Amino acid sequence: MSLGLPDGISAYKRTPVFDELTTPAGLQRAHSTKSGVWGVIHILEGEMIYKTLNPQTERVANKGTPPIVIKPQELHEVELIGPVLFYVEFHAQRQPSQ
């Protein structure tokens, strides 16, 4: 499945699976990824609202919608809508082989 990430980007880390009780508070208020780091939210069950803050947008996402792609340094937050299961995968430029 293509996520629409730039060429040369690959996953290097992922969070545990969060639910409505274990989702860190920091994900539910304004935050961003580091420079050069893309985030991808994979929803396994339930739904959430993904909000960007500059520009302000909102998107309802669930298991049936494409994963949420977060651009580097994009200020964003999530709002959970009832029970949910999801994880976040982090992607960055592949390092050349040594």
Side-chain angles (χ1 to χ4, degrees):
M1 164 182 32
S2 171
L3 298 174
L5 297 170
D7 290 341
I9 300 292
S10 62
Y12 69 89
K13 181 171 95 170
R14 72 172 260 187
T15 67
V17 173
F18 297 122
D19 65 22
E20 66 280 6
L21 301 175
T22 60
T23 299
L27 296 182
Q28 298 178 70
R29 61 179 177 257
H31 66 285
S32 66
T33 59
K34 297 177 185 176
S35 176
V37 175
W38 296 72
V40 180
I41 301 174
H42 296 272
I43 301 173
L44 305 173
E45 296 293 335
E47 63 184 0
M48 67 173 59
I49 300 172
Y50 174 75
K51 302 175 183 181
T52 61
L53 304 175
N54 190 15
Q56 290 188 340
T57 66
E58 287 190 8
R59 171 185 161 197
V60 176
N62 58 47
K63 180 180 176 181
T65 60
I68 298 166
V69 177
I70 305 161
K71 297 175 184 171
Q73 297 181 299
E74 179 175 67
L75 198 57
H76 65 280
E77 61 191 23
V78 299
E79 179 181 332
L80 307 181
I81 304 173
V84 66
L85 292 174
F86 72 97
Y87 65 92
V88 183
E89 205 171 49
F90 297 95
H91 297 248
Q93 187 74 34
R94 291 184 206 124
Q95 297 301 316
S97 299
Q98 302 277 335

